[in-house]
Amino acid sequence: MGSTVKDLLFILRNCGVSYTTHVIVDRLYYGRKQTYGEWIKWKEAQYHASYQFTYQPKISIVVPVYNVKRDQLVTCIESVLQQSYPNVELCMSDDCSTLPEVKEVLEAYSKNEKVKLHYREKNGHISENTNSAIALATGEFIGFLDCDDFLAKNAVAEIVQALNQNPSLDFIYTDEDLVTEDGVTRFSPILKSDWSPDTYFAHNYTNHFSVYRAEIVKKIGGLRTAYNGSQDYDFVLRFIEHTDATKIAHIPKILYHWRSRPESVASGNDAKPYVFDAAKRAKEDAMQRRGIKGHLEYGEKTKQWNIVYHVEKEESICILLYANKNLEDTKRTYDSICNHTSYENYKVGIVVPQEQIIQREAYIKNFADAQIVFLEDGQEQSLAGVSEIVSTCKYVTILEAGVEIQTNDWLQRMLGHLQQTHVGMVGAKVCYKGNVFVASIGKIQSPIGMLDAFAHFRNEDNLYLGLNHNFITVAEQCFMVKKECIQDCAIFLNNPQKLSVVLAQAARQQGLYAVTRPDVMVSILPDIQKEISKLEEKGSQECKQKKDSFYNENLSQTLPFSLGTFLSPKQEEKGKYDTGLKATIQYHLHKGMLLVVGIVLPCKGKRSLFDRVWVEIELDDRKIQKVHLEKKYLAGLSKLKKGYQWAGVQGSILLGRKDSTVRFRICQKGVGKRIYATDWYEAKE
């Protein structure tokens, strides 16, 4: 209770009464085990019950039909006809279905004034069948719906509401979730960011429900048969070349229900392996159309092709290395630059803080080949020194002392990406020493300040940690920025943490994006005091910023902060799970520190669904948060105790299931007052 009161006082001081009230409500409501079903019921109760529009465009929903079960097709059709927005037409094309029930259902709806039907004489597969349905459309906008999926009742109304707010929109997409084959249980919500061009070129994250301006759809010729499997991805890559980011909108509401079937992509990456080959060809074609020089690299775990942009011109790069209180950290980073940089056209400048004046001679002796700026020399002289270093360079790279480079061609990969016209900053994936756990792959805007995205996740090449992604800003430990984003060299007299935020804001003002390349990896040692100061410094400064457009508003904006607040174990029988979000770590604020108090682990099930188990955690003999451990796991734990060292109250056990093996790790007390996880252990149940 005491720590909770202290948390709230901290939030009250830094974020105001209104936000603190929201935190209290959030904790009271979500401070218990909660299923996704409970959360979505609460969330959907907040959606608009009625709408009033001055602009009422016709929306054509196109549905390619082929050999779908009767009940699934009926559900799909009814979800369109029952839309709360009336100006809708349903355009369906049947691709020579062999199931007689398909034609029976279609004929039953053929007399409905909102329904248009086409029966193909020859099977043309998904792209040609979809194009046949598009040919029926007379609406100003076209939305795509698979014949076994269905829409939320207010899906089209939400689209039209967005169009009333901005009639110039060409492309609108929404959030979605999965539904079991029987259509009963909803699970795995897919909560998306606002438009993120680098994320999209990495993978097709917009997916369903998407609505497009019909004029452009017909201009580009609809879908292309050569890209079947990823025909929708190829379609969007071509579509966005005829619009711009200001005409793309995201509605953060779950308005599409994607049925998970064994043969469907929704059931997992292995369901349709040809999909990924088609996606590769779609990207290669887009690169050729756009005149992009680069190559694609395949990720075994992501099953995706990540683009590596080639350096167009080997411009001079300035590396500013920011020293800290430890000379050895600076030496380690400097040596890392010298030993792990294959790019040749660069120079290094070292910015030394005032508290290091006593080691002035040591810096001059150890870094004879670098230009050194001592901030204790006064602002005017320091500014002149920094300006001299960066004046001859078109690109500036920021490194914090203590960083060790892990990728020899790091400058080439960052520079090639930064030379793209839409990019203003490129960051690296930052891992803790040993590269087992991630420290940051970018920043998330929270009312308490900028938080590190995916901190303490295992360093695995999944969709988030293995592909290029846009963030509101990148990790401050290592990033590169275009010189045109630098309005005043005096900014370099600040620390890298502030630099990354301010430079990202300057880039966004110019319509440029910040992106993290996870194939550029650096490592750091944990620094507890730095993480505490980051919270204390940014808590009051950043809470008044606008929302993070790269972080879905449905995810928790309060403390305890989690990328997956609403995930909990449920329905264990026969592999059925009612799961929540796919993110994996939860934080708890205690005296200005972020403490890891829970980790979500993967378990066996569709779409690599997730499970979570909590145990009690103590810190300095004070309970930080009391959480539960499921009875299902107690038997396994008792066996594990016999074969492995038990952490007891000195840390925590975080437990998950994989097949019949209990996987767990012991979180021992770490440096200072921080809890860190050690290695994984396994034991058969």
Side-chain angles (χ1 to χ4, degrees):
M1 180 64 182
S3 63
T4 300
V5 172
K6 292 175 182 177
D7 291 351
L8 295 176
L9 289 175
F10 176 86
I11 299 166
L12 180 62
R13 285 195 306 271
N14 292 289
C15 301
V17 175
S18 177
Y19 179 73
T20 305
T21 302
H22 184 56
V23 172
I24 294 172
V25 173
D26 192 43
R27 288 194 177 185
L28 288 174
Y29 192 82
Y30 298 119
R32 57 183 178 83
K33 185 169 75 170
Q34 182 191 35
T35 66
Y36 169 61
E38 290 176 315
W39 176 80
I40 193 60
K41 183 178 180 181
W42 169 81
K43 193 69 178 179
E44 290 181 341
Q46 303 175 54
Y47 290 173
H48 291 283
S50 62
Y51 303 83
Q52 292 183 345
F53 306 122
T54 54
Y55 174 42
Q56 300 185 36
K58 179 186 286 187
I59 309 296
S60 300
I61 306 298
V62 301
V63 180
V65 179
Y66 182 73
N67 280 355
V68 60
K69 293 180 180 179
R70 180 188 299 271
D71 60 330
Q72 294 177 359
L73 181 55
V74 169
T75 299
C76 172
I77 294 173
E78 286 293 334
S79 76
V80 177
L81 299 181
Q82 297 299 322
Q83 285 294 304
S84 59
Y85 179 75
N87 197 10
V88 175
E89 68 175 4
L90 175 58
C91 305
M92 295 185 289
S93 174
D94 178 61
D95 202 22
C96 303
S97 294
T98 57
L99 293 177
E101 60 196 75
V102 173
K103 189 170 184 179
E104 292 173 5
V105 172
L106 294 179
E107 286 300 310
Y109 285 98
S110 63
K111 295 182 180 180
N112 190 299
E113 61 181 8
K114 292 185 176 182
V115 173
K116 292 184 177 181
L117 287 175
H118 174 73
Y119 293 98
R120 291 182 54 82
E121 296 180 357
K122 180 181 179 181
N123 183 279
H125 301 290
I126 183 63
S127 292
E128 289 190 19
N129 196 27
T130 303
N131 287 339
S132 294
I134 291 174
L136 301 174
T138 60
E140 292 180 57
F141 293 88
I142 293 175
F144 292 91
L145 174 63
D146 290 344
C147 61
D148 54 350
D149 300 338
F150 54 100
L151 299 175
K153 187 174 182 178
N154 61 326
V156 178
E158 290 287 345
I159 296 292
V160 175
Q161 178 170 268
L163 286 168
N164 272 262
Q165 294 170 350
N166 183 2
S168 68
L169 292 176
D170 292 328
F171 172 21
I172 308 165
Y173 62 96
T174 77
D175 292 345
E176 60 189 299
D177 62 12
L178 273 63
V179 64
T180 51
E181 188 170 6
D182 59 11
V184 175
T185 305
R186 294 167 61 182
F187 63 99
S188 291
I190 302 173
L191 306 179
K192 308 163 188 176
S193 68
D194 290 351
W195 180 243
S196 307
D198 296 282
T199 304
Y200 192 80
F201 206 84
H203 65 106
N204 181 18
Y205 78 90
T206 59
N207 213 9
H208 314 114
F209 174 49
S210 293
V211 174
Y212 310 89
R213 188 172 292 276
E215 180 184 351
I216 300 177
V217 172
K218 295 178 180 181
K219 179 180 179 180
I220 65 175
L223 277 58
R224 300 195 293 183
T225 301
Y227 299 89
N228 280 349
S230 286
Q231 71 284 342
D232 49 351
Y233 187 45
D234 168 68
F235 168 79
V236 176
L237 286 172
R238 289 182 291 120
F239 186 96
I240 60 178
E241 293 168 5
H242 296 267
T243 186
D244 59 67
T246 64
K247 297 179 181 179
I248 302 176
H250 166 229
I251 300 174
K253 295 182 179 180
I254 297 170
L255 303 175
Y256 189 101
H257 310 302
W258 189 7
R259 200 180 299 268
S260 178
R261 297 183 292 125
E263 67 274 19
S264 168
V265 174
S267 66
N269 286 343
D270 297 327
K272 295 183 178 180
Y274 65 91
V275 167
F276 305 103
D277 176 65
K280 178 192 178 186
R281 289 186 284 108
K283 289 179 181 181
E284 290 173 334
D285 195 22
M287 291 166 65
Q288 185 175 12
R289 286 195 309 272
R290 301 174 190 181
I292 294 173
K293 296 180 180 179
H295 68 274
L296 300 174
E297 292 183 343
Y298 183 69
E300 290 292 340
K301 292 186 178 180
T302 65
K303 307 294 184 184
Q304 302 284 352
W305 295 86
N306 206 35
I307 187 169
V308 178
Y309 296 95
H310 295 168
V311 174
E312 297 176 4
K313 184 179 180 181
E314 293 195 357
E315 305 276 4
S316 176
I317 299 174
C318 165
I319 300 176
L320 284 182
L321 169 55
Y322 281 75
N324 58 21
K325 297 179 181 180
N326 189 341
L327 177 62
E328 292 302 314
D329 285 346
T330 307
K331 289 175 62 177
R332 186 165 63 251
T333 301
Y334 185 78
D335 290 343
S336 178
I337 295 171
C338 297
N339 297 329
H340 296 282
T341 303
S342 57
Y343 192 81
E344 295 181 353
N345 192 10
Y346 74 92
K347 62 180 179 179
V348 180
I350 301 177
V351 181
V352 183
Q354 293 183 3
E355 55 266 28
Q356 288 292 84
I357 188 172
I358 58 174
Q359 298 197 63
R360 186 184 187 104
E361 295 302 321
Y363 273 93
I364 295 174
K365 178 181 178 181
N366 282 279
F367 307 107
D369 295 332
Q371 294 177 263
I372 305 175
V373 176
F374 294 94
L375 297 184
E376 76 271 13
D377 288 340
Q379 182 171 349
E380 184 175 339
Q381 187 172 346
S382 299
L383 179 58
V386 172
S387 298
E388 181 183 350
I389 295 173
V390 303
S391 61
T392 59
C393 301
K394 191 172 181 180
Y395 303 94
V396 178
T397 298
I398 304 298
L399 284 179
E400 280 192 343
V403 165
E404 293 186 58
I405 308 299
Q406 304 292 311
T407 311
N408 287 342
D409 61 346
W410 65 292
L411 285 180
Q412 290 97 318
R413 288 175 180 262
M414 296 177 84
L415 177 58
H417 208 136
L418 196 58
Q419 287 178 336
Q420 305 309 303
T421 57
H422 70 283
V423 180
M425 289 179 71
V426 179
K429 176 164 68 174
V430 184
C431 294
Y432 290 115
K433 187 73 173 180
N435 300 327
V436 177
F437 295 100
V438 173
S440 178
I441 64 166
K443 296 292 185 178
I444 292 172
Q445 173 63 54
S446 163
I448 66 164
M450 290 287 186
L451 300 181
D452 291 305
F454 300 98
H456 307 285
F457 280 38
R458 291 187 69 83
N459 181 24
E460 298 173 345
D461 291 331
N462 57 34
L463 281 180
Y464 303 101
L465 301 179
L467 296 174
N468 302 333
H469 270 75
N470 294 110
F471 287 95
I472 193 167
T473 189
V474 296
E476 70 268 17
Q477 290 90 348
C478 174
F479 66 90
M480 187 184 293
V481 63
K482 282 179 176 173
K483 196 170 181 180
E484 50 259 46
C485 296
I486 304 166
Q487 299 173 349
D488 186 348
C489 282
I491 190 176
F492 292 114
L493 303 184
N494 294 295
N495 59 52
Q497 181 187 339
K498 186 171 182 179
L499 269 176
S500 66
V501 175
V502 175
L503 289 172
Q505 290 174 340
R508 289 296 286 163
Q509 289 173 358
Q510 299 180 40
L512 303 177
Y513 291 84
V515 58
T516 293
R517 291 203 61 92
D519 55 358
V520 176
M521 192 164 65
V522 301
S523 66
I524 61 172
L525 292 172
D527 187 339
I528 307 308
Q529 292 304 317
K530 179 187 173 185
E531 300 212 22
I532 294 173
S533 64
K534 281 164 64 175
L535 258 187
E536 293 175 343
E537 178 182 346
K538 305 306 289 182
S540 59
Q541 293 179 2
E542 305 298 341
C543 62
K544 295 182 180 180
Q545 283 195 0
K546 296 180 180 179
K547 80 177 186 73
D548 187 343
S549 60
F550 303 100
Y551 180 73
N552 191 290
E553 67 182 43
N554 288 303
L555 299 174
S556 176
Q557 298 292 322
T558 67
L559 296 175
F561 177 78
S562 170
L563 295 175
T565 304
F566 311 111
L567 199 156
S568 62
K570 188 71 174 177
Q571 296 186 4
E572 299 164 338
E573 296 299 321
K574 298 181 181 180
K576 293 183 179 179
Y577 301 90
D578 181 7
T579 69
L581 314 181
K582 294 187 179 64
T584 65
I585 210 156
Q586 177 131 6
Y587 295 101
H588 183 75
L589 186 68
H590 178 71
K591 291 187 176 180
M593 294 186 295
L594 284 178
L595 302 173
V596 180
V597 298
I599 299 181
V600 177
L601 308 176
C603 70
K604 188 177 181 181
K606 294 180 180 179
R607 299 275 297 181
S608 299
L609 303 183
F610 289 84
D611 203 358
R612 175 173 70 181
V613 179
W614 296 108
V615 296
E616 191 172 279
I617 294 176
E618 293 193 359
L619 182 67
D620 290 344
D621 300 320
R622 297 188 302 275
K623 292 180 180 179
I624 299 302
Q625 182 171 332
K626 199 168 185 178
V627 288
H628 70 274
L629 178 66
E630 283 204 321
K631 294 180 181 179
K632 184 89 172 181
Y633 296 94
L634 289 177
L637 267 181
S638 63
K639 292 182 181 180
L640 289 172
K641 288 183 188 180
K642 297 176 183 178
Y644 295 88
Q645 183 178 358
W646 176 251
V649 297
Q650 300 302 312
S652 66
I653 299 293
L654 304 175
L655 184 66
R657 285 178 295 127
K658 185 176 182 182
D659 299 323
S660 60
T661 302
V662 174
R663 302 183 71 232
F664 71 104
R665 58 183 164 196
I666 300 174
C667 290
Q668 302 284 9
K669 284 187 177 180
V671 182
K673 296 182 179 179
R674 193 64 180 267
I675 297 175
Y676 292 107
T678 59
D679 295 331
W680 284 98
Y681 298 85
E682 292 190 354
K684 294 289 183 180
E685 287 183 311

